[in-house]
Amino acid sequence: MQLKQGTQKHRVLLTSVCRPFGGPGEGDSVGAELFHAQITRAQGPFSHRQVIRVWALDYLAENIQAPAVTLHYPSHRELIGELEQGRYTHVGINFVVATFHKVREMVGLIRRYAPAAKIVLGGYGTVLPDEVLSPFADVICREEGVGFLRRLLGEPEDGPIRHPHAPIASVQVLGYQQSSVVGHVTAGLGCPNGCDFCCTSHFFRRKYEPFAETGRDIYEAMMATRDRAAADGQSMDSFILIDEDFFIHEQRARQFLDCVREGGKPLSIMGFGSVKGLSQFTADEIGEMGFDLVWNAFEGIEAGYGKQQGVPIADLYRSLKSVGCAQLTSMIIGFPYQDEARMRAEFDALMALQPTLTQCLIYFAFPGTPFHAQVVAEGRYRERYRKAPDLRRWDGFAMHFEHPKFDDPERIETIQSEFYDQDFKRLGPSTLRIARVWLTGYEHLRHNKNPLLAARAGRLRDNARGILPAVGAAIAFAPSRAARDQAVALRRDIIRLTGAMTALERAKEVATPVLYLGSRLARAAGLCQQPGLLRTEHRTGNGLASQHTQHVMGLQGAPYHGLLGSLAEDLGAQLQGLAAKLRPRSSATSFPSAHVINTRSQPMPRSLPSVAEPPIEQSPKPRLPVVGEAAVVVPKRPPQSRIAPVVTAP
């Protein structure tokens, strides 16, 4: 099959998988919310609720010439309506392995309601082999998405690459939704660390593909998306910086620091960094850059990954907290050296670090990784996953292979669940933990002679003060005496350092237990738990209107997406789930070729249709990685090219 090069007119639909999430057989770790699904999952109404849009779709839509529409989390009904009205020539679906069963359902709808459209599959789910994916696709993208899509549509491949304006809503806790939005910028994708279990690293063949060549590129992209939000009348108070190990690229990070210093205003950033990368900077420098939260890997004490080398992690965490920078720490259990006693000892060591947020995943043999090849070669996949693998459980929360120190590998899943519960009971709600870090940073920096750090101290003070009304709910409903005592101490220290509570704050404090109970009831009833549709248009004549910043609030679901419709949808999903339990049918993920992923090694396949590699002497074309759940990387952009700032016109 050859790629068509022509001038015919195209119209492209790019979509995530359909909601609802959490249906029969689906793991509760897979969905539209990263924090609630994988990090604060045991914290009930205190859980951080924030729907993450599939940023890959926005990048792709922004960087082709054909008219394009993106759908983030449509229902089947909304997808059908789009297919009937859109006259699309191509429909692209972004997915992961654990959501492939949703892809199969969507493909059936596409072939029924838009039979002439070519179906394009992309994302980390494309690590599945051709015999699994080909029946459901005309095209499979396992490389950098923009260049591939431009070739597919017959468009020039050397056009400029632009950042889309793609914010998300701020975190919701206790049912209270902040009105501000969070900006997003991608610095690069892929990771040279090459941990043996890491899908993202090996998907990109252990190569780092810079999306922003310089620190100034990153800074200007942040300012541009913030200005766009301001023009739309929305406050953008913080940013997510996508880069697997931002601080490992020291020169670029220092260029970014210089830009922040020139700008003179403190930023608020969530980013990712290894011990090795973070150790190249002082805590003050990391604070000056604006990092309020860094996602860091604890993994396992004897895991032996090079990224863990540097400043002792206890000292690193202590210094970061002194400037108000919190930690989201990821632990892995199921390493071959770990028995249950060792797992518990390492978890205790992690708890002693007092991370603000904790992720605990099971050592997982994902297709395309060295660990997958090892497990297949050793014949260690458990029989149920070898003969009829349920792809819905390819999520980091299921134990797929035999473990040398556990007679029952599923015991590891039980321990994982227990660790999430223990994290909540020992350290309390993450919302209060981050307020403690902010307060520590304020106390340490409030008299700092560095004007940027002094300004940061003021922002940290305001942030901590903003949490004060929620402390009352924690005092009443935190899961343990220790957690409740911590809440009492935090309330006392916030008042001591920032002043007595106002009448309005006291009124809010009285209301938070009501919000807690309302959130708990809604979750127990399964109501208002799904994301809402976000639809954007590009080059259709309605681009600016559809991309208005206020629309991202709809991702948070009811009431922003329509309360009555959401309630009806939730009730319908519950009835379908009940019917599935009363009248079970064969698994939607079981089909003859699925077992091949666990019976032979899976080196990364080529895209379909395949594209010849360019001659070595040929200058590389501009490339754009795909983020979020999506795929792709290839050669770097030529040195003279530059990422354009956030686009402001359709």
Side-chain angles (χ1 to χ4, degrees):
M1 181 177 178
Q2 298 295 321
L3 290 174
K4 294 182 179 180
Q5 302 290 330
T7 58
Q8 68 183 74
K9 298 297 182 181
H10 297 292
R11 185 174 172 88
V12 180
L13 176 65
L14 300 167
T15 180
S16 71
V17 295
C18 287
R19 66 177 195 273
F21 295 96
E26 295 181 10
D28 58 6
S29 65
V30 178
E33 299 183 62
L34 175 61
F35 289 108
H36 183 61
Q38 296 193 13
I39 298 165
T40 58
R41 56 191 281 127
Q43 298 189 21
F46 293 106
S47 181
H48 287 197
R49 308 299 299 266
Q50 184 180 47
V51 175
I52 307 295
R53 68 196 288 167
V54 186
W55 287 303
L57 305 179
D58 304 297
Y59 281 117
L60 294 171
E62 188 59 48
N63 285 283
I64 57 176
Q65 296 177 1
V69 171
T70 68
L71 300 180
H72 297 263
Y73 314 117
S75 65
H76 282 176
R77 175 182 56 81
E78 290 163 340
L79 176 63
I80 291 169
E82 191 70 46
L83 294 171
E84 288 181 324
Q85 299 177 22
R87 304 184 305 280
Y88 293 106
T89 59
H90 297 78
V91 179
I93 306 174
N94 180 281
F95 73 107
V96 295
V97 172
T99 58
F100 181 52
H101 63 290
K102 290 181 175 289
V103 172
R104 297 176 67 198
E105 296 172 349
M106 294 170 68
V107 167
L109 297 177
I110 296 167
R111 287 175 173 165
R112 178 178 178 182
Y113 293 99
K118 297 292 185 183
I119 298 173
V120 185
L121 298 185
Y124 287 132
T126 62
V127 299
L128 294 172
D130 291 344
E131 53 262 59
V132 174
L133 296 183
S134 294
F136 306 99
D138 298 296
V139 179
I140 302 172
C141 177
R142 296 184 176 107
E143 57 175 285
E144 182 270 310
V146 168
F148 185 88
L149 195 54
R150 285 173 174 172
R151 290 196 304 272
L152 183 68
L153 301 176
E155 297 180 359
E157 297 179 52
D158 57 354
I161 295 175
R162 299 178 296 271
H163 285 283
H165 177 60
I168 60 175
S170 293
V171 169
Q172 177 191 107
V173 179
L174 294 174
Y176 174 74
Q177 177 65 58
Q178 301 178 64
S179 60
S180 60
V181 298
V182 179
H184 157 260
V185 170
T186 299
L189 289 179
C191 179
N193 291 323
C195 300
D196 60 344
F197 62 86
C198 181
C199 174
T200 58
S201 183
H202 293 283
F203 194 97
F204 300 119
R205 296 172 176 85
R206 295 190 62 176
K207 294 181 180 178
Y208 177 74
E209 298 294 336
F211 185 48
E213 298 286 351
T214 70
R216 185 163 295 278
D217 287 336
I218 298 169
Y219 182 78
E220 290 180 354
M222 285 184 176
M223 297 303 100
T225 192
R226 187 175 69 179
D227 290 346
R228 171 68 182 274
D232 287 342
Q234 300 290 134
S235 174
M236 182 175 286
D237 294 335
S238 58
F239 302 91
I240 296 175
L241 179 58
I242 301 295
D243 193 290
E244 298 250 358
D245 195 352
F246 173 75
F247 300 95
I248 204 73
H249 311 286
E250 183 179 3
Q251 181 179 0
R252 189 184 61 178
R254 292 196 178 279
Q255 292 170 349
F256 177 75
L257 173 58
D258 289 341
C259 291
V260 178
R261 286 169 171 168
E262 290 173 12
K265 295 183 179 179
L267 301 180
S268 174
I269 303 171
M270 172 188 167
F272 304 77
S274 66
V275 171
K276 181 179 180 180
L278 289 163
S279 297
Q280 298 181 127
F281 299 88
T282 66
D284 280 1
E285 289 172 334
I286 294 169
E288 283 185 275
M289 289 184 204
F291 283 92
D292 286 355
L293 180 67
V294 173
W295 194 326
N296 175 259
F298 177 84
E299 313 297 29
I301 291 176
E302 295 182 19
Y305 298 119
K307 66 185 181 183
Q308 296 173 292
Q309 299 174 358
V311 174
I313 192 168
D315 295 340
L316 177 65
Y317 277 26
R318 192 179 304 110
S319 65
L320 290 176
K321 289 175 182 178
S322 73
V323 296
C325 181
Q327 294 78 44
L328 193 171
T329 308
S330 180
M331 178 183 184
I332 292 178
I333 61 175
F335 286 118
Y337 74 85
Q338 292 174 328
D339 57 16
E340 183 167 341
R342 190 56 197 265
M343 286 182 191
R344 294 186 181 281
E346 293 189 357
F347 179 72
D348 289 342
L350 174 58
M351 291 295 96
L353 296 173
Q354 296 186 323
T356 303
L357 299 132
T358 304
Q359 182 189 51
C360 180
L361 298 181
I362 293 174
Y363 193 39
F364 184 69
F366 203 88
T369 63
F371 185 47
H372 178 269
Q374 177 188 346
V375 170
V376 170
E378 295 173 355
R380 290 171 54 199
Y381 261 103
R382 298 169 58 196
E383 184 175 2
R384 61 179 288 196
Y385 289 106
R386 185 171 63 250
K387 290 187 175 180
D390 186 345
L391 301 183
R392 294 172 296 190
R393 297 308 312 278
W394 254 248
D395 59 357
F397 286 77
M399 190 65 183
H400 290 193
F401 54 91
E402 302 297 336
H403 193 282
K405 299 187 184 218
F406 285 84
D407 294 332
D408 178 10
E410 291 188 9
R411 173 63 182 162
I412 296 176
E413 298 176 21
T414 302
I415 295 171
Q416 179 188 39
S417 179
E418 181 185 333
F419 283 177
Y420 276 103
D421 290 337
Q422 284 297 312
D423 169 73
F424 186 32
K425 290 178 179 177
R426 296 191 195 185
L427 302 183
S430 287
T431 299
L432 271 62
R433 296 187 226 172
I434 197 167
R436 171 59 73 182
V437 174
W438 287 336
L439 194 65
T440 299
Y442 164 66
E443 189 171 16
H444 178 73
L445 296 175
R446 57 181 170 167
H447 301 305
N448 198 289
K449 295 181 180 180
N450 181 320
L452 190 57
L453 290 177
R456 175 179 174 84
R459 182 178 61 77
L460 293 173
R461 177 200 180 281
D462 293 343
N463 288 349
R465 184 77 186 196
I467 297 296
L468 188 55
V471 179
I475 293 172
F477 299 111
S480 66
R481 177 63 180 271
R484 291 191 291 273
D485 289 346
Q486 291 165 12
V488 170
L490 176 64
R491 184 181 187 276
R492 181 182 62 246
D493 289 342
I494 292 176
I495 292 172
R496 173 176 59 84
L497 290 168
T498 66
M501 293 181 70
T502 65
L504 179 59
E505 288 172 332
R506 290 186 182 278
K508 289 181 178 179
E509 185 178 48
V510 171
T512 53
V514 178
L515 293 176
Y516 173 91
L517 293 173
S519 297
R520 186 168 182 174
L521 289 172
R523 185 178 181 186
L527 301 177
C528 304
Q529 302 299 299
Q530 296 292 333
L533 172 68
L534 176 63
R535 181 183 184 275
T536 65
E537 298 183 20
H538 301 253
R539 296 165 303 282
T540 63
N542 191 39
L544 279 178
S546 72
Q547 297 172 40
H548 194 284
T549 306
Q550 69 179 2
H551 295 327
V552 304
M553 303 305 292
L555 284 171
Q556 296 292 83
Y560 310 97
H561 187 61
L563 181 58
L564 293 179
S566 296
L567 290 174
E569 192 174 277
D570 290 341
L571 291 173
Q574 290 185 39
L575 290 175
Q576 290 180 356
L578 178 61
K581 290 180 180 179
L582 295 176
R583 192 176 179 181
R585 58 179 181 173
S586 59
S587 171
T589 66
S590 298
F591 48 106
S593 56
H595 73 280
V596 301
I597 67 175
N598 289 336
T599 57
R600 67 169 186 250
S601 182
Q602 296 293 328
M604 182 62 61
R606 296 288 300 279
S607 296
L608 291 178
S610 60
V611 180
E613 297 288 349
I616 294 177
E617 67 275 10
Q618 179 178 332
S619 298
K621 295 290 194 297
R623 301 292 183 173
L624 174 67
V626 175
V627 293
E629 297 175 333
V632 302
V633 262
V634 276
K636 300 177 182 179
R637 296 179 284 111
Q640 67 272 20
S641 72
R642 230 175 133 247
I643 300 278
V646 176
V647 68
T648 57

